[in-house]
Amino acid sequence: MFQPLSRQAEMIHSASLVVLAITAGIFIVVSLLLVYVVWKFRRKGPEDDLKEPPQIYGSTHIELAWTVVPIIIVLVLILVTSRTIGEIQNRKMPPNAVEIRLIGHQWWWEVRYEKEGIVTANELHVPVSQRTGEGMRPTQIFLESADVIHSFWVPQLAGKTDLVPNKKNQTWIEPFAKGTFFGNCAEYCGTQHANMLLRVVVEDPEDYEKWVQTMKQPPAAPQTGLAAQGHKAFFENSCINCHTVDGTIAGGVYGPDLSKLMTRQTIGAGVAPLTPETLRAWVRDPQTLKTGCFMPDMKLLDSEVDAITAYLLTLK
Amino acid sequence: MTPQTADDNFEIPPPEAIGHERGSLTRIVQELVFTVDHKKLGLMYIASGLLFFVVAGLMASLIRIQLAVPRNNFLEPDVFNRLFTMHGTAMVFFVGMPMLFGFANYLIPLMVGARDMAFPRLNAFGFWVFFFSGLLLFFSYLGAPGLYAAGSAPDVGWFAYSPLTAKAFSRGHSTDYWTLSILLGGIGSIATSINIIVTALCLRCKGMILGRMPLFVWIYLVVAFLIIIAIPPLSACQIMLILDRYFGAHFFDTQAGGSAVLWQHFFWIFGHPEVYILMLPGFAIASEVIPVFSRKPIFGYPVMVAASVLIAFISLGVWAHHMFAVGMTSIGNTFFAISTLLVAVPTGIKIFNWIGTMYGGKLRFELPMLFCLAFLFQFLIAGLTGVMLGVAPFDWQLTDSYFVVAHFHYVLIGGLLFTIFSGIYYWYPKALGKMPNFKLGLLHFLLFMAGFHITFFPQHISGFLGMPRRIYTYDAGRGWDLWNLISSLGVILQAAGILFFVINLIYSYVKGGKAGDDPWDAWTLEWAASSPPPDYNFETLPEVRSRRPLWDLKHPDDPDWKYE
């Protein structure tokens, strides 16, 4: 969080530096005082025990001093805090802002660009924003949950906001630098909480538009070879009960949308990089990669596993 | 005068009648089970607290082994989730609470010059309810086999956010064990708190007006009131959860229009005062130990009382600072940020008053004092990281990360546990009549302190680097590896420290030098009784004229009552 690369993270960062400076100052003063007192007034030897030190019961003036000074410091902190809260929470989004619906599931993220009609999982693509002027283009994220509470947290881009079922939350990010940023689900959500990872890919506006255009095209059904067999196997098995593939009868909503599977960097919400090998292992038995996840071992024949993997590899 | 004991009117058949000799095992068990003596109950509280402490500590060690290296396969995810849930629940409800009640039980009647607590049998009831609720929680490992495997302890985290606890997401009976054991434990806590309040208000000896009551008892009075206010919301939400799970209610059932955030409000209305319920007894111990080993009275007694009351009062209005990320309005967030930051003021006053007490004194670095000095330093760090978390925008980054884990371990270990050790060493001679061994104690102190900092300081950094709490594993390359490894290594030192502590407790009891009635040259009434005190505590009830009756006795030329 000390390498902020977006407007919100920078605002939090600068407020944090003020707080850190104040607390560090207090720490140094008080701990030096503590060390000084402990050293200065230590028992010097057995002869020290003969006479008790002067008995002091208190002093109103001193008490007043160390009440008023902390109150003043706390007032400063309160002002910094209130200002930053207001700036972040009451930020108005410009009309050109990208809008994303992010829905938490046990243990993956559903990503929906409703305006563009794009559905994907575990990966947000957003355009890089300029600090001011025409190129300023933040992204507003609407947060929902399908089951239990999750939390959105990409430290370099934004602080946490929870995804609470039956409650509509929102946050926004406005990255100033390109790159891939990592986040975790930050509210304990069950067995595989640890492997509910999120990536935010920040691109040039042109690249972002290109990505949007690609994502809008439904995948073509393969006509020949192993992939075609896999296509058949995919629709004959129960895959379609949970997964969606655009332009087909596969319309399940319990698992991630697979229409553009191969555009993603990882599998299983970040449990492994997405490669033909990991994909095959996943189709073979997801439980070996991600114990406890809700996709069961489908007990497919080896030939079916190969074919379905080949089909899935065409989804891009 | 014949000493009266509390169980005078309680007919126990003489041991000869049932054939058990004094000192035989049956007889000892019988005495422990039937006793209503506040001192025995106090020691039983502390002993069972230590037992649960060791168990929950071993659980934490397993957690640290799993997290030592990235993508470790030492524990299955479900096993890990059960471990951190049980560790947290046990440490808060079945280690922290009994320890604080143990000290209260043992010391409050002695300090106010009474023969026992106000309601001795209620006291025994409170202990046994607590003890069995603790066993109930741990029994879940055997008794709550869910759908998957034999062992099925609760795995919903110690604050068990709904709807993860709903039937749909938590099958089997693990969550019910969690709910019921906490519900039951709450009953015991309320019983004991009532007892503390009545004892402190009604059983003070002659001359002990409230303004002369030892700070220890004052702070416990505040704690007891806080418990009585804080436990009912907890019990209420546990009952609501049971209704949800078994009777089709929809308090927290989001799929039927219930509210997930409602649980958080209920839980933290309990949960935040709970932090102070646990921490204030630490202050109480420090407020006794620091003056005695500085050879000066506590600096600013009335201010210390006022600060305790103020902390308790403010702590009732800060609960939602655990919820800055749930999407409250900016006004709500600001309100709770302000109230949270305000707690820093009375807490700061306390730290300054302790330093003021030491200033101009002659500090003796005996074991209790060493632990208290470490407490002051560590609690300063904990307080300041608390200020950072109180600043809501900062909290958006830090909450639910390892920074929070580091923060509350600095509070509960660096603050509370160190003062508990201090208190155990300080009153050990009183309770058992033997002096604790200094060398073993020093080893305990040094090893445990080093281990504590090595384990928990790096967690601040991994939190800054984006590591969320409660993850059973993590990928290499996010900058967390080194800090987790260091953190896990610290556990070895902590475990060694605890080992020396346990050895010291046993060794000193067997081989320790005899402690007189007043080995530390202290000033409060418990040191006027013999070590260990008889069943009736005092042969004749004492009469006091100041806050430090034993000082008056030892310095007739310069008594306290002239100045107070």
Side-chain angles (χ1 to χ4, degrees):
Chain A
M1 63 162 287
F2 288 110
Q3 295 157 327
L5 290 169
S6 87
R7 193 185 302 272
Q8 194 196 111
E10 279 178 2
M11 287 154 102
I12 295 177
H13 179 67
S14 53
S16 308
L17 289 185
V18 176
V19 178
L20 275 177
I22 292 176
T23 47
I26 298 173
F27 175 74
I28 290 168
V29 170
V30 179
S31 56
L32 283 182
L33 185 69
L34 188 61
V35 170
Y36 167 77
V37 168
V38 169
W39 181 250
K40 178 85 194 293
F41 299 104
R42 69 192 191 281
R43 171 181 176 270
K44 310 280 181 343
E47 71 279 5
D48 238 15
D49 293 344
L50 298 176
K51 206 168 164 299
E52 299 279 14
Q55 302 293 300
I56 311 290
Y57 299 94
S59 150
T60 317
H61 288 105
I62 298 177
E63 297 284 357
L64 214 59
W66 65 43
T67 309
V68 172
V69 174
I71 288 180
I72 293 171
I73 297 175
V74 163
L75 275 180
V76 174
L77 287 172
I78 287 175
L79 293 177
V80 175
T81 308
S82 326
R83 193 186 135 176
T84 317
I85 292 176
E87 278 179 355
I88 293 177
Q89 281 199 288
N90 301 338
R91 166 96 199 258
K92 292 267 180 303
M93 286 289 123
N96 69 342
V98 178
E99 288 182 3
I100 301 175
R101 251 177 95 197
L102 187 64
I103 303 168
H105 294 259
Q106 276 181 323
W107 301 285
W108 60 281
W109 308 84
E110 181 180 352
V111 182
R112 305 182 75 96
Y113 294 69
E114 299 291 3
K115 273 194 221 158
E116 292 82 0
I118 297 172
V119 183
T120 178
N122 307 323
E123 246 172 66
L124 304 181
H125 282 250
V126 299
V128 69
S129 171
Q130 302 299 321
R131 281 170 198 276
T132 49
E134 284 294 297
M136 194 171 92
R137 197 173 177 202
T139 301
Q140 185 160 32
I141 307 176
F142 298 94
L143 303 163
E144 295 162 47
S145 167
D147 36 49
V148 301
I149 301 177
H150 306 275
S151 191
F152 171 84
W153 185 30
V154 184
Q156 286 186 284
L157 302 183
K160 293 177 203 70
T161 311
D162 291 351
L163 292 74
V164 185
N166 212 5
K167 184 175 192 310
K168 289 198 178 337
N169 275 346
Q170 48 178 292
T171 185
W172 54 275
I173 53 176
E174 194 179 349
F176 295 140
K178 285 189 294 181
T180 301
F181 301 97
F182 300 99
N184 282 62
C185 170
E187 187 65 77
Y188 174 64
C189 56
T191 310
Q192 279 292 351
H193 167 58
N195 287 315
M196 185 165 165
L197 305 159
L198 182 69
R199 286 176 181 220
V200 179
V201 181
V202 182
E203 305 165 305
D204 279 330
E206 303 79 53
D207 289 341
Y208 169 72
E209 290 307 330
K210 229 188 274 167
W211 177 81
V212 169
Q213 291 315 319
T214 326
M215 294 299 282
K216 279 180 171 174
Q217 304 297 323
Q223 301 304 327
T224 54
L226 198 57
Q229 288 171 32
H231 181 253
K232 194 159 163 283
F234 185 86
F235 285 89
E236 282 170 356
N237 282 289
S238 53
C239 312
I240 57 173
N241 289 347
C242 295
H243 295 287
T244 295
V245 178
D246 262 0
T248 71
I249 56 158
V253 293
Y254 297 109
D257 187 307
L258 298 178
S259 312
K260 291 284 174 182
L261 176 66
M262 295 313 293
T263 62
R264 308 208 270 260
Q265 300 176 0
T266 64
I267 192 166
V271 78
L274 180 54
T275 63
E277 292 75 40
T278 57
L279 184 61
R280 189 181 187 285
W282 185 274
V283 177
R284 171 81 275 168
D285 179 9
Q287 300 298 326
T288 54
L289 282 174
K290 193 169 175 176
T291 321
C293 76
F294 287 131
M295 179 168 164
D297 176 2
M298 299 304 291
K299 310 258 191 264
L300 298 170
L301 300 173
D302 272 348
S303 56
E304 286 177 312
V305 173
D306 289 334
I308 290 179
T309 309
Y311 167 59
L312 292 177
L313 286 169
T314 68
L315 296 175
K316 52 190 169 194
Chain B
M1 182 185 146
T2 356
Q4 281 196 324
T5 61
D7 49 4
D8 255 5
N9 53 354
F10 184 64
E11 291 280 330
I12 300 178
E16 301 77 30
I18 29 178
H20 298 316
E21 298 296 319
R22 184 168 272 276
S24 73
L25 188 65
T26 347
R27 176 76 176 136
I28 291 172
V29 170
Q30 201 182 28
E31 267 177 23
L32 291 181
V33 172
F34 288 147
T35 189
V36 292
D37 176 44
H38 73 99
K39 296 179 289 299
K40 283 199 191 113
L41 286 169
L43 294 180
M44 281 154 73
Y45 263 122
I46 292 177
S48 38
L50 281 177
L51 180 76
F52 289 133
F53 170 74
V54 171
V55 176
L58 289 174
M59 291 179 153
S61 317
L62 296 178
I63 292 174
R64 282 315 323 168
I65 295 175
Q66 165 67 14
L67 290 176
V69 290
R71 290 284 169 204
N72 196 358
N73 283 323
F74 177 64
L75 297 174
E76 289 284 296
D78 277 333
V79 175
F80 182 90
N81 296 342
R82 284 178 202 133
L83 282 175
F84 74 68
T85 304
M86 293 292 280
H87 167 77
T89 311
M91 283 294 190
V92 170
F93 293 99
F94 302 110
V95 178
M97 299 292 271
M99 288 282 196
L100 76 92
F101 284 141
F103 280 101
N105 256 304
Y106 197 95
L107 293 166
I108 289 176
L110 284 165
M111 280 186 168
V112 300
R115 298 214 188 277
D116 204 319
M117 296 290 274
F119 308 117
R121 264 171 272 170
L122 183 67
N123 204 11
F125 169 78
F127 170 78
W128 290 107
V129 166
F130 139 73
F131 187 69
F132 281 108
S133 60
L135 291 187
L136 184 67
L137 179 72
F138 281 96
F139 184 71
S140 61
Y141 264 108
L142 305 171
L147 291 174
Y148 308 107
S152 164
D155 61 353
V156 288
W158 86 272
F159 40 74
Y161 274 180
S162 68
L164 194 59
T165 49
K167 266 272 182 219
F169 305 108
S170 167
R171 279 160 281 183
H173 296 297
S174 57
T175 301
D176 305 319
Y177 274 85
W178 182 84
T179 306
L180 290 172
S181 67
I182 286 174
L183 195 58
L184 208 58
I187 296 171
S189 304
I190 288 187
T192 311
S193 304
I194 291 173
N195 223 338
I196 292 173
I197 294 174
V198 178
T199 309
L201 292 182
C202 305
L203 293 192
R204 275 167 290 136
C205 66
K206 207 169 171 199
M208 188 179 282
I209 55 172
L210 281 177
R212 288 181 195 151
M213 198 161 72
L215 258 187
F216 182 93
V217 185
W218 250 116
I219 295 179
Y220 263 101
L221 184 62
V222 173
V223 169
F225 273 111
L226 213 45
I227 291 177
I228 286 189
I229 298 171
I231 296 274
L234 176 70
S235 304
C237 68
Q238 305 289 6
I239 292 170
M240 285 150 87
L241 181 59
I242 295 174
L243 292 177
D244 264 16
R245 283 175 64 86
Y246 287 101
F247 299 97
H250 303 301
F251 294 107
F252 311 120
D253 181 359
T254 46
Q255 285 165 359
S259 166
V261 180
L262 182 67
W263 168 273
Q264 301 189 14
H265 280 295
F266 268 96
F267 191 89
W268 291 118
I269 287 175
F270 150 78
H272 204 80
E274 171 71 8
V275 175
Y276 292 92
I277 290 169
L278 291 174
M279 205 47 241
L280 281 168
F283 297 168
I285 293 171
S287 302
E288 292 301 318
V289 170
I290 291 177
V292 168
F293 293 94
S294 307
R295 311 308 306 152
K296 279 179 68 214
I298 188 82
F299 192 88
Y301 172 94
V303 183
M304 286 297 260
V305 173
S308 308
V309 176
L310 205 60
I311 288 178
F313 183 75
I314 300 177
S315 80
L316 292 169
V318 300
W319 75 88
H321 69 208
H322 296 265
M323 301 161 55
F324 282 143
V326 299
M328 290 190 291
T329 60
S330 55
I331 305 287
N333 282 333
T334 310
F335 174 86
F336 285 103
I338 291 174
S339 61
T340 303
L341 292 172
L342 283 178
V343 189
V345 176
T347 315
I349 293 175
K350 276 184 172 279
I351 291 184
F352 288 128
N353 273 313
W354 288 319
I355 296 179
T357 305
M358 291 191 288
Y359 189 92
K362 291 178 178 173
L363 306 190
R364 295 185 191 163
F365 300 116
E366 297 286 353
L367 291 175
M369 189 61 171
L370 289 178
F371 278 97
C372 268
L373 290 174
F375 149 76
L376 280 180
F377 178 72
Q378 287 151 193
F379 189 69
L380 176 66
I381 298 178
L384 292 172
T385 53
V387 167
M388 297 179 201
L389 289 166
V391 175
F394 208 168
D395 181 85
W396 288 331
Q397 286 285 17
L398 299 178
T399 186
D400 275 314
S401 77
Y402 258 83
F403 187 89
V404 170
V405 178
H407 163 71
F408 66 68
H409 282 91
Y410 264 78
V411 174
L412 292 178
I413 298 182
L416 178 63
L417 189 59
F418 271 71
T419 50
I420 285 178
F421 285 141
S422 166
I424 288 179
Y425 283 123
Y426 182 56
W427 284 293
Y428 187 90
K430 177 52 58 188
L432 299 175
K434 302 283 180 69
M435 291 304 283
N437 185 294
F438 183 80
K439 276 186 188 153
L440 285 172
L442 192 65
L443 270 174
H444 164 210
F445 172 72
L446 292 175
L447 286 171
F448 192 74
M449 187 175 68
F452 162 71
H453 286 286
I454 294 173
T455 301
F456 293 105
F457 197 78
Q459 296 185 358
H460 290 111
I461 300 167
S462 47
F464 277 141
L465 295 174
M467 180 166 173
R469 64 194 285 201
R470 298 177 161 181
I471 53 174
Y472 78 93
T473 194
Y474 52 93
D475 280 321
R478 295 194 55 187
W480 309 338
D481 314 11
L482 177 67
W483 306 113
N484 275 292
L485 185 63
I486 297 175
S487 181
S488 294
L489 291 176
V491 174
I492 301 169
L493 292 181
Q494 288 193 66
I498 296 298
L499 191 67
F500 279 109
F501 170 63
V502 175
I503 292 174
N504 197 358
L505 288 186
I506 298 167
Y507 175 84
S508 303
Y509 185 65
V510 181
K511 293 248 170 134
K514 226 173 155 38
D517 290 354
D518 183 14
W520 309 117
D521 195 5
W523 304 308
T524 36
L525 280 180
E526 76 270 27
W527 304 103
S530 60
S531 302
D535 282 350
Y536 44 87
N537 291 351
F538 304 99
E539 241 165 77
T540 48
L541 287 180
E543 192 178 336
V544 303
R545 298 180 71 182
S546 76
R547 288 170 206 147
R548 297 192 297 168
L550 268 63
W551 170 275
D552 298 350
L553 215 63
K554 291 169 193 167
H555 303 269
D557 48 315
D558 181 31
D560 260 6
W561 49 264
K562 281 191 183 162
Y563 307 100
E564 276 174 10

